[in-house]
Amino acid sequence: MTQSREHELNLSAEQMRALGYQVVDLIVGNMHGLREQPVHRSATPEQLSHIHSEPVPDRPTEPGELVEFLAREVLPWSLRLGHPGCFAFIPSANNFLGVLGDFLASGFNISPGAWLVGAGPAAIEQVTARWLAELLGMPAGTGGLFTPGGTMANLTAIAAARSDRLGADTSRAVLYCSDQTHPAVLRACHVLGFAAEQLRFLPSRGHRLDHHLLRREIEDDRRSGRNPFLVLANAGTTGTGSIDPLPELADLCREHDLWLHVDGAHGATAAMTTRGRTALAGLAAADSVVVDPHKWLFQPYEIGCLLVRDQEALHRAFALEQFRAQAGYLDITRIAGNEVNLSDHGVQFTSAARALKLWLSFKGFGVDAFRAAVDHGLDLSERAAALIDVSDELDLVAGPSLGIVCLRYRLPDHDAFSSDDLDAIHREIADTVNEGGRFLIATTTVDGQQVIRLCTINPRTTKLDIDQLVSAIRHAGRTVNLSSRWCAPRVRARRRPSGPAA
Ligand SMILES: *Cc1c(COP(=O)(O)O)cnc(C)c1O
């Protein structure tokens, strides 16, 4: 950069345009070239030491070169969660309109937190939350708040439920969830100050919350003078896509005056489709639902959303008036009419205009395109499950549910292996599949065993990809089965006496 700009945080209009085009070209090239790239490239901290060890950059560097540096040395070293061959974690295939929404939000540096500060962006947040509520089938009047992700959305919901049902006295409060609940939700309970003994962490049945057991627990707690107030249900556990029995939970919560919260960060958006709406029956009866548009609504990170049937509950829990100390400077942001200060509805004060990207992509593509994309993800998991079902080498362990399928490789002499060996074999099968660079799959624990888990919600993934992935898993299973490493346990097993009768 020229000497004269040294003290300015400013670029000329021409420079800004040129850099902008450079960045757009890189993004477009990446989005269109994903299939040609490996799904995952990792590096050790040593390999990235030239990044770690850089001194504070007191003097300027040509920004175009820095963009090139990032594109060459930084951005490639990551997992491509939007790659059509990525089935690990929860894939996130962002869309270009979403990217532009983020670019606009940051370029104009708008914040929807207070009406006075950002009326336009606040209106976009409100209408987009209303659309989401409607798409999930929630009752009219449901409103919400956009957050950085599912973690903050769940935390906000639990805090709202606490204020609504307990007021100030949380001492005898009890909340309930199944052992399949996402750790982010449990951490939110911890952050909010609930002690471990206030959380009833109930054993699941078939990976779902057992509502008979829940009823007994609630009644026991009531009898012993505790104060049950909240059920944390799952609509799509991350491991198996399992859905808790929402209609039964809704009845139970109504009967006992408990708040029903549904963590649908992964799965709730399936309710936009006919199949998903059926699978998620009962969702609309929840007091609050979390969805993560940066997962199954194809938005760039970060965007989560909390939808609350009684929007006022958010205001009662979070309105600044309750916490006002030395904040006279905020008096001018007080609202006179029906405007909304969204910073009164959640934890964050200043927040990014996150809904802009979702608004732009909903409007630009039309919601039908999103429904079709979510449906496609459901199709892919059903296809994977069908292929697993007909294969005599594979066993379907869980799903297909909300785009997730779990499977195991069936070894010819399965009984010759300890469960630790079987777990190691499954991890090895996943590693073998991943070595090719075309697919990324991961294992998880289901019912105490390692299984291969596939999450098929990426709209860029094709049916052919699924067919080839299942073939790759079978092939890897055969390779690992035949490897010398696993011969010894077999021989040992064959020599083992077969019991007292022998
Ligand atoms: C992803 C996820 C979370 C955490 O959400 P973040 O967006 O990662 O903060 C919580 N619950 C479920 C079910 C999830 O899938």
Side-chain angles (χ1 to χ4, degrees), residues 2 86 119 147 211 223 260 282 303 358 378 430 432 437 444:
T2 57
C86 181
T147 63
H211 61 95
R223 265 195 298 278
L260 176 60
I303 179 170
L358 188 56
L378 296 171
T432 307
T444 187

Side-chain angles (χ1 to χ4, degrees), residues 38-97:
V39 194
H40 186 203
R41 269 211 213 144
S42 198
T44 62
E46 290 70 34
Q47 283 171 307
L48 299 181
S49 62
H50 61 299
I51 295 173
H52 281 299
S53 58
E54 270 199 273
V56 173
D58 285 324
R59 312 285 301 171
T61 308
E62 176 56 48
E65 283 172 26
L66 297 175
V67 171
E68 285 302 321
F69 176 85
L70 290 173
R72 199 178 53 243
E73 309 271 345
V74 176
L75 301 175
W77 300 110
S78 72
L79 180 53
R80 289 167 184 77
L81 281 154
H83 190 290
C86 181
F87 300 92
F89 307 102
I90 297 197
S92 178
N94 65 346
N95 75 85
F96 192 66
L97 294 182

Side-chain angles (χ1 to χ4, degrees), residues 321 324 330-336 339 341:
E321 276 75 17
R324 197 169 285 263
L330 289 170
D331 286 349
I332 62 157
T333 66
R334 284 232 179 104
I335 47 181
E339 307 98 345
N341 282 340

Side-chain angles (χ1 to χ4, degrees), residues 90 149-151 154 182 236 238 263 265-266 292 294-295:
I90 297 197
T151 303
N154 277 300
H182 197 285
T238 319
D263 179 10
H266 158 62
D292 244 357
H294 64 205
K295 288 175 175 165

Side-chain angles (χ1 to χ4, degrees), residues 229-388:
F229 80 103
L230 171 63
V231 172
L232 299 167
N234 293 303
T237 61
T238 319
T240 58
S242 301
I243 306 165
D244 287 337
L246 301 177
E248 288 82 359
L249 296 181
D251 288 345
L252 191 54
C253 287
R254 208 173 299 122
E255 189 184 323
H256 285 275
D257 195 27
L258 270 60
W259 179 293
L260 176 60
H261 171 68
V262 178
D263 179 10
H266 158 62
T269 52
M272 292 167 63
T273 69
T274 312
R275 258 177 300 182
R277 184 66 70 91
T278 307
L280 293 164
L283 186 73
D287 293 289
S288 53
V289 176
V290 163
V291 290
D292 244 357
H294 64 205
K295 288 175 175 165
W296 214 349
L297 283 176
F298 321 112
Q299 299 303 310
Y301 301 123
E302 304 171 334
I303 179 170
C305 181
L306 167 63
L307 298 169
V308 182
R309 167 192 284 270
D310 171 16
Q311 286 186 70
E312 281 306 303
L314 290 179
H315 191 266
R316 290 193 299 273
F318 293 103
L320 281 170
E321 276 75 17
Q322 309 163 61
F323 309 103
R324 197 169 285 263
Q326 292 284 324
Y329 78 97
L330 289 170
D331 286 349
I332 62 157
T333 66
R334 284 232 179 104
I335 47 181
N338 55 357
E339 307 98 345
V340 168
N341 282 340
L342 288 167
S343 61
D344 277 336
H345 286 202
V347 178
Q348 265 187 297
F349 199 70
T350 307
S351 59
R354 296 193 171 84
L356 212 61
K357 56 186 158 191
L358 188 56
W359 183 93
L360 193 60
S361 19
F362 269 174
K363 294 276 288 181
F365 291 114
V367 168
D368 280 346
F370 282 84
R371 281 197 192 92
V374 173
D375 242 340
H376 178 70
L378 296 171
D379 283 342
L380 293 181
S381 60
E382 286 180 8
R383 186 181 186 91
L387 292 171
I388 294 162

